[in-house]
Amino acid sequence: MTDRRGTTSPAGTRRSLGGARAARQPLERPAPLRQAVYDALAEMIINRELQPGEHLVENELAAHLGVSRQPVREALQRLHNEGWVDLRPALGAFVHVPTEEEADQLLSTRTLLEAESARLAAKNATPEQVERLRELQRAGEQALSEDSQVALVEANAALHAHLVEMSGNKVLAQLIAMVDRRTRWYYSPIARSRGHEAWEEHAAMIETIAEGNSRRAGELMRKHTERTRESYHQRRRESGEPDPLT
């Protein structure tokens, strides 16, 4: 059952786009349209503009993005293939609701990859790269002072991405890129609650990298990402969010 706005529960019901979100400019056309639509929908899912379990209605999404239904249909199929969207016979498309196990596996894998990334970054860091880290830290602290969830998620991703670049390991960078978007999806609802603690951990890690202490940098990153994993599970327990497999 829906209310007057068309809002429904995360279990598979519908929430109308009308009035619930800020107006969005029509997508620019130079890039292939199907790719632009895919990227826009993926970011809307990652930033929780489209909530887990939300019913995705093609014509509403098309109107919201200023495109026809065909590229939206193609994007939803691709998002389904990549695990972002569930297609249910006779019901339509819904934002995937991650299970506890899915989140834990990905965040645990992230810990392994990023700890090695930080270790190598400390080993290979140049003064210019360290200064860039400090700039990204300041950007994160600014987002924190503005209490902007989207800006916090973006700043966090940018700082971690620069650390990966500093590692100089292209294979490691490719592996981390494979989990980056989903990591941001899981991080988004806890960006504020991690808040000052997370950015204090970043600051300590940057100074350790600047000192060239690779072992310590790897250990700090391991603890940092483990705290993020624990915060995600704690938030899920406190919210009473059910596991879709139970």
Side-chain angles (χ1 to χ4, degrees), residues 44-198:
M44 289 171 73
I45 291 172
I46 290 165
N47 292 330
R48 304 285 172 141
E49 191 175 345
L50 294 170
Q51 291 287 325
E54 184 170 341
H55 188 195
L56 303 174
V57 183
E58 286 182 8
N59 61 350
E60 290 186 358
L61 292 171
H64 188 62
L65 297 174
V67 298
S68 69
R69 291 178 62 179
Q70 182 60 32
V72 171
R73 185 177 299 116
E74 292 174 358
L76 290 177
Q77 182 61 58
R78 180 176 170 188
L79 290 164
H80 167 67
N81 294 340
E82 296 176 1
W84 293 99
V85 167
D86 297 328
L87 298 180
R88 303 175 189 172
L91 294 176
F94 299 81
V95 178
H96 179 65
V97 179
T99 67
E100 193 86 6
E101 183 179 9
E102 285 173 359
D104 196 67
Q105 288 181 359
L106 184 131
L107 294 174
S108 296
T109 300
R110 179 207 180 206
T111 292
L112 296 173
L113 296 174
E114 297 241 17
E116 178 64 6
S117 175
R119 187 187 72 80
L120 291 174
K123 184 178 179 181
N124 301 320
T126 66
E128 293 76 18
Q129 289 174 326
V130 172
E131 179 54 35
R132 177 57 181 159
L133 274 181
R134 290 183 171 131
E135 290 174 5
L136 293 168
Q137 173 73 10
R138 289 192 288 271
E141 291 170 350
Q142 178 65 29
L144 191 61
S145 69
E146 295 170 356
D147 195 30
S148 170
Q149 177 175 305
V150 172
L152 276 170
V153 173
E154 291 177 350
N156 184 73
L159 188 146
H160 281 263
H162 187 58
L163 278 170
V164 173
E165 182 181 341
M166 289 172 65
S167 76
N169 187 316
K170 293 182 179 180
V171 175
L172 185 62
Q174 290 172 349
L175 291 173
I176 291 177
M178 290 172 63
V179 302
D180 173 65
R181 272 185 160 173
R182 200 163 293 264
T183 296
R184 287 194 287 133
W185 187 35
Y186 296 151
Y187 185 70
S188 184
I190 62 170
R192 286 193 178 100
S193 62
R194 281 284 278 142
H196 291 281
E197 180 184 67

Side-chain angles (χ1 to χ4, degrees), residues 14-33:
R14 170 179 179 190
R15 185 177 76 185
S16 171
L17 289 171
R21 300 188 175 86
R24 180 183 289 268
Q25 292 294 323
L27 296 173
E28 296 181 4
R29 302 302 176 110
L33 187 58

